[in-house]
C-alpha cells in the first residue's frame, strides 16, 4: 500500500507548520515517521492512502506486520500475442512480489482459443494474471499492472471508451475480479521493449512452449 505522510511540525516559539509528503510505500513512510519523531517537534503524524482513508502510526504498523506472511508489493507484467493468419493467441505474465522477507518472481504463459484480435489477447492476458494472483492469495492490496497495450490501459483507466462488445465483456470480467479480490489497481503503460519478459512468454505460448515456475530473487550485496 502507498500512503502520504501528513506531519504537524511545531517549531520554536510554538509556530506550527503542516507538511505533506509525496506518495510512498507504507514501510518507507513508517521509517520516515520514526525519523520525524526523533526531532521531538513532530506533534502529530498521520498517513493517508489513495482512498483518502487516514491511518495512525499504530494502525499502519499493524497493517504492515500483518501482510508480511502474504504476497505483497506485487507488480504484474502482462502481454498477449495474436497471429492474424493462424488465429493462434498466447498469454504471458510475470509477477514480482515479496513474502516472508523474501522476493519472488512467477513466470507463466498459456495458449488461448477463440480470440479474434490482438487487443482481445491483451485483455485475456490481464485476466490470466488476475487468476494467478487469486491462486497466490493476493487480496485487498494495491497491485501495479504493467503492459504495452495502449488500448487496454487506456480503457481500464477510463481514458478511452470501450466500444467493442468483445473488449467490453473482458473489461467487465476484469473489474468484477478486481472487486472480488479487493485489489486496487495501478496501471502503467510501457514500451514493448520494457515489457520484453511478458512479450517473450506470450510468443512462446503461441509456439507451444509451456513456461510455468516461481523462483526466489536473490539480492546482490
Amino acid at each position: 500500500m502507498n500512503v502520504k505522510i501528513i506531519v504537524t511540525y511545531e517549531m520554536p516559539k510554538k509556530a506550527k507548520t503542516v507538511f505533506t509528503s509525496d506518495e510512498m510505500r507504507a514501510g518507507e513512510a513508517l521509517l520516515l515517521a520514526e525519523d520525524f519523531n526523533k526531532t521531538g517537534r513532530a506533534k502529530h503524524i498521520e498517513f493517508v492512502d489513495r482512498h483518502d482513508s487516514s491511518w495512525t502510526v499504530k494502525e499502519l504498523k499493524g497493517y504492515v506486520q500483518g501482510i508480511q506472511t502474504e504476497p505483497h508489493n506485487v507488480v504484474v507484467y502482462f502481454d498477449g500475442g495474436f497471429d492474424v493468419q493462424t488465429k493462434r493467441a498466447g498469454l504471458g505474465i510475470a509477477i514480482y512480489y515479496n513474502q516472508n522477507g523474501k522476493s519472488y518472481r512467477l513466470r507463466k504463459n498459456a495458449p488461448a482459443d477463440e480470440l479474434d484480435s490482438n487487443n482481445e489477447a491483451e485483455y485475456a492476458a490481464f485476466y490470466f494474471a488476475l487468476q494467478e494472483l487469486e491462486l497466490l492469495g493476493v487480496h485487498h492490496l494495491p497491485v501495479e499492472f504493467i503492459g504495452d497495450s495502449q488500448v487496454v490501459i487506456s480503457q481500464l483507466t477510463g481514458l478511452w471508451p470501450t466500444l467493442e462488445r468483445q473488449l467490453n465483456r473482458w473489461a467487465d470480467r476484469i473489474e468484477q475480479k478486481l472487486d472480488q479480490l479487493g485489489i486496487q489497481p495501478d496501471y502503467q503503460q510501457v514500451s514493448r521493449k520494457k515489457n520484453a519478459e511478458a512479450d517473450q512468454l506470450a510468443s512462446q505460448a503461441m509456439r507451444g512452449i509451456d513456461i510455468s515456475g516461481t523462483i526466489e530473487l536473490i539480492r546482490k550485496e
Side-chain angles (χ1 to χ4, degrees):
M1 180 170 64
N2 288 355
V3 296
K4 293 181 180 180
I5 309 173
I6 300 177
V7 182
T8 302
Y9 196 80
E10 188 173 287
M11 298 182 294
K13 297 183 180 180
K14 303 300 181 179
K16 291 184 179 180
T17 302
V18 177
F19 295 100
T20 302
S21 75
D22 293 331
E23 195 175 84
M24 64 187 75
R25 294 281 188 186
E28 297 173 5
L30 284 170
L31 291 175
L32 191 55
E34 289 179 7
D35 201 54
F36 274 123
N37 277 324
K38 290 178 183 178
T39 67
R41 294 179 178 175
K43 298 305 176 183
H44 180 71
I45 298 177
E46 67 176 317
F47 309 89
V48 177
D49 62 26
R50 292 180 179 178
H51 301 281
D52 291 326
S53 297
S54 179
W55 301 68
T56 65
V57 172
K58 183 178 180 180
E59 289 170 340
L60 195 61
K61 281 184 177 179
Y63 168 82
V64 171
Q65 291 171 357
I67 66 171
Q68 291 305 308
T69 58
E70 300 178 357
H72 57 282
N73 294 342
V74 183
V75 178
V76 176
Y77 290 83
F78 70 95
D79 195 44
F82 181 77
D83 189 309
V84 178
Q85 294 182 339
T86 64
K87 300 295 183 180
R88 290 180 179 174
L91 317 178
I93 58 171
I95 301 175
Y96 292 79
Y97 62 97
N98 299 131
Q99 188 173 14
N100 294 319
K102 297 180 180 180
S103 299
Y104 297 92
R105 182 196 65 191
L106 180 156
R107 297 168 72 239
K108 194 166 186 177
N109 67 1
D113 299 322
E114 300 181 359
L115 302 182
D116 296 321
S117 69
N118 188 74
N119 286 334
E120 195 176 358
E122 294 278 7
Y123 266 107
F126 193 109
Y127 191 78
F128 180 46
L130 290 179
Q131 291 176 311
E132 289 303 314
L133 291 179
E134 185 174 19
L135 291 174
L136 275 175
V138 176
H139 61 91
H140 298 91
L141 288 174
V143 174
E144 185 174 4
F145 293 93
I146 301 174
D148 55 54
S149 172
Q150 186 177 16
V151 170
V152 171
I153 299 297
S154 296
Q155 289 180 344
L156 289 178
T157 56
L159 292 176
W160 292 3
T162 310
L163 301 177
E164 296 180 47
R165 181 178 297 179
Q166 293 281 52
L167 301 188
N168 192 54
R169 287 177 179 172
W170 280 107
D172 286 344
R173 291 179 67 189
I174 286 169
E175 289 177 3
Q176 289 171 7
K177 180 63 75 173
L178 288 170
D179 288 342
Q180 175 192 335
L181 298 177
I183 289 175
Q184 303 109 48
D186 182 19
Y187 303 105
Q188 182 182 353
Q189 184 197 347
V190 296
S191 65
R192 178 171 292 183
K193 183 179 180 180
K194 291 184 178 180
N195 198 34
E197 187 173 28
D199 177 72
Q200 181 180 24
L201 288 165
S203 297
Q204 289 171 321
M206 292 171 65
R207 300 196 304 271
I209 302 173
D210 180 54
I211 304 292
S212 179
T214 302
I215 63 169
E216 180 184 348
L217 301 176
I218 307 299
R219 295 180 181 178
K220 296 182 179 180
E221 300 295 338

